[in-house]
């Protein structure tokens, strides 16, 4: 029999084939990044596989030109429907999300089918300096550079998380025995910390004691006022201890701590009011999430980005 071209072979069934994931369930949640993580895998922990099948019989297509074509992996929004056209599929591909560009990465973004089947061993969601909010996607598979239309394949939705967001909410509770550098907006290397230490204010307890005995002098040493000062006081008042400190005048578990707030009017600093802050239960493993973490080394692994460039905001290091 004479050899026929690809177009001749499949001209009778231009839309008779489709791609199919062997399992449409993706292990969820998927954490961003490739470092010490599995990336995107099937719900049973194995590799995701895609195959070419006959649209009418659902039988695998194991020979012919299409059985060795290249398949591309893409991300789709979670609300992508179960019925679609080829143009709807292409228009729904999600390459970027906010400041994150090219969010789907990996060695197997494009794979060659062998006997109509391909395995996706290593793909992941980008992990860079831009934190990713909790979001859901679907994984899609499409055949490129094909002489006929092949129906795409789509998985069920899966959740994507940024591990940094979870770690920040589970940081260790501040105690009154911690160094004063652990306080919000103080930092180990900043001039504020040096001034406090020079005045023998070395721990959170020292800070609270001075706040109780001479708040005006403490603020002068601190060197700032307004929101920044209030945040530091609030953080200090959240510290826990089984012992009674002079500023709290009660042990852990008391209903609230009173924090004097100082304001500046025309260059004159004065005690304006007293505000109440609820302390965090000593049995809780969570604390309030602040703008910057104050223990960089416990988070350093989370900033080992996919592009191999270690980026950490300067304020991050200032809180060491």
């Amino acid at each position: 029999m004479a050899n026929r071209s690809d177009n001749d072979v499949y001209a009778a069934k231009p839309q008779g084939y489709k791609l199919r994931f062997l399992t449409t369930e993706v292990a969820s949640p998927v954490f961003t990044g490739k470092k010490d993580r599995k990336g995107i895998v099937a719900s049973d922990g194995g590799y995701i596989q895609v195959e070419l099948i006959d649209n009418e019989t659902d039988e695998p297509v194991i020979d012919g030109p299409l059985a060795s074509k290249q398949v591309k992996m893409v991300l789709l929004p979670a609300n992508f429907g179960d019925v679609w056209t080829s143009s709807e599929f292409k228009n729904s591909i999600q390459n970027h999300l906010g400041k994150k560009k090219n969010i789907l990465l990996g060695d197997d973004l494009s794979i060659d089918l062998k006997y109509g089947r391909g395995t996706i061993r290593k793909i992941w969601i980008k992990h860079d300096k831009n934190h990713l909010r909790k979001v859901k996607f679907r994984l899609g598979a499409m055949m490129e550079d094909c002489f006929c239309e092949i129906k795409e394949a789509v998985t069920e939705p899966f959740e994507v998380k940024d591990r940094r967001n979870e770690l920040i909410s589970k940081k260790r509770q501040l105690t009154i025995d911690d160094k004063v550098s652990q306080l919000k907006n103080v930092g180990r290397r900043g001039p504020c910390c040096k001034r406090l230490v020079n005045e023998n204010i070395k721990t959170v307890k020292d800070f609270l004691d001075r706040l109780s005995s001479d708040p005006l002098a403490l603020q002068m040493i601190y060197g700032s006022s307004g929101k920044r000062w209030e945040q530091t006081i609030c953080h200090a008042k959240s510290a826990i201890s089984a012992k009674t400190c002079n500023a709290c005048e009660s042990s852990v578990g008391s209903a609230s701590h009173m924090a004097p707030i100082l304001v500046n009017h025309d260059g004159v600093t004065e005690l304006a009011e007293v505000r109440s802050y609820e302390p965090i239960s000593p049995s809780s493993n969570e604390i309030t999430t602040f703008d910057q973490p104050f223990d960089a080394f416990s988070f350093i692994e989370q900033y080992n980005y996919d592009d191999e460039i270690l980026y950490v905001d300067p304020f991050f290091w200032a809180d060491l």
Side-chain angles (χ1 to χ4, degrees):
M1 182 182 292
N3 292 332
R4 293 184 293 177
S5 67
D6 290 346
N7 289 331
D8 292 331
V9 172
Y10 293 95
K13 297 173 66 177
Q15 296 180 345
Y17 300 93
K18 65 181 179 182
L19 294 171
R20 176 177 67 184
F21 286 109
L22 269 63
T23 175
T24 60
E25 297 287 339
V26 175
S28 184
V30 173
F31 287 98
T32 57
K34 65 178 179 177
K35 304 296 183 182
D36 301 321
R37 299 177 180 88
K38 293 182 179 180
I40 303 175
V41 297
S43 57
D44 60 3
Y47 294 131
I48 294 174
Q49 291 186 305
V50 62
E51 65 178 354
L52 179 68
I53 64 173
D54 188 292
N55 201 25
E56 295 180 0
T57 65
D58 279 350
E59 292 295 321
V61 178
I62 62 174
D63 56 13
L66 294 178
S68 58
K69 283 287 186 179
Q70 191 173 81
V71 173
K72 179 182 178 181
M73 310 308 299
V74 297
L75 283 179
L76 300 166
N79 61 358
F80 186 75
D82 295 327
V83 179
W84 66 88
T85 65
S86 181
S87 60
E88 288 173 340
F89 183 94
K90 292 178 181 178
N91 291 335
S92 298
I93 294 175
Q94 198 154 3
N95 294 316
H96 314 306
L97 184 65
K99 294 182 179 180
K100 281 186 178 289
K101 308 299 180 183
N102 302 315
I103 54 178
L104 184 62
L105 301 175
D107 304 327
D108 296 322
L109 293 182
S110 294
I111 58 171
D112 293 321
L113 297 181
K114 290 186 178 181
Y115 302 105
R117 180 175 293 186
T119 302
I120 300 94
R121 291 181 171 83
K122 196 65 177 177
I123 57 174
W124 61 88
I125 304 298
K126 189 174 187 178
H127 185 78
D128 60 10
K129 66 181 180 180
N130 299 306
H131 289 221
L132 181 72
R133 68 179 187 276
K134 186 168 63 175
V135 65
K136 287 186 177 182
F137 293 111
R138 291 178 187 253
L139 189 64
M142 60 184 294
M143 191 172 286
E144 293 187 305
D145 302 325
C146 187
F147 49 81
C148 63
E149 185 174 339
I150 306 296
K151 188 72 171 177
E152 302 85 1
V154 176
T155 69
E156 295 297 320
F158 59 92
E159 188 176 56
V160 177
K161 292 183 177 181
D162 191 319
R163 199 180 297 271
R164 290 169 294 186
N165 296 337
E166 294 195 344
L167 287 174
I168 289 175
S169 67
K170 295 180 180 179
K171 291 184 292 187
R172 179 182 62 83
Q173 171 69 55
L174 183 74
T175 72
I176 63 172
D177 295 324
D178 284 336
K179 293 181 179 180
V180 72
S181 61
Q182 296 295 313
L183 286 175
K184 171 72 173 175
N185 298 327
V186 175
R188 192 176 71 184
R189 295 184 175 90
C192 176
C193 182
K194 293 179 180 179
R195 289 194 299 269
L196 290 169
V197 172
N198 288 340
E199 294 294 329
N200 206 31
I201 304 172
K202 299 179 180 180
T203 67
V204 175
K205 182 180 183 302
D206 295 336
F207 185 93
L208 291 170
D209 287 343
R210 189 66 64 91
L211 180 65
S212 176
S213 62
D214 196 346
L216 293 175
L218 178 62
Q219 190 188 26
M220 295 297 292
I221 299 170
Y222 180 85
S224 183
S225 60
K227 183 178 179 180
R228 186 179 179 88
W229 168 243
E230 291 183 24
Q231 287 176 337
T232 303
I233 292 178
C234 183
H235 190 200
K237 290 295 184 178
S238 74
I240 61 171
S241 173
K243 298 179 180 180
T244 301
C245 66
N246 295 337
C248 300
E249 297 181 351
S250 61
S251 59
V252 171
S254 59
S256 63
H257 296 306
M258 308 305 289
I261 305 299
L262 307 183
V263 295
N264 190 296
H265 295 294
D266 299 325
V268 179
T269 302
E270 58 181 318
L271 182 64
E273 59 179 313
V274 175
R275 299 186 184 180
S276 176
Y277 296 95
E278 291 294 330
I280 294 172
S281 168
S283 62
S284 171
N285 290 325
E286 297 187 356
I287 65 171
T288 303
T289 299
F290 297 113
D291 294 336
Q292 303 94 24
F294 49 82
D295 185 3
F297 290 114
S298 65
F299 292 91
I300 192 67
E301 181 181 358
Q302 303 306 318
Y303 289 85
N304 192 2
Y305 301 131
D306 295 328
D307 56 10
E308 306 299 338
I309 298 175
L310 186 62
Y311 174 94
V312 181
D313 190 281
F315 289 107
F316 186 96
W317 294 104
D319 285 331
L320 276 172

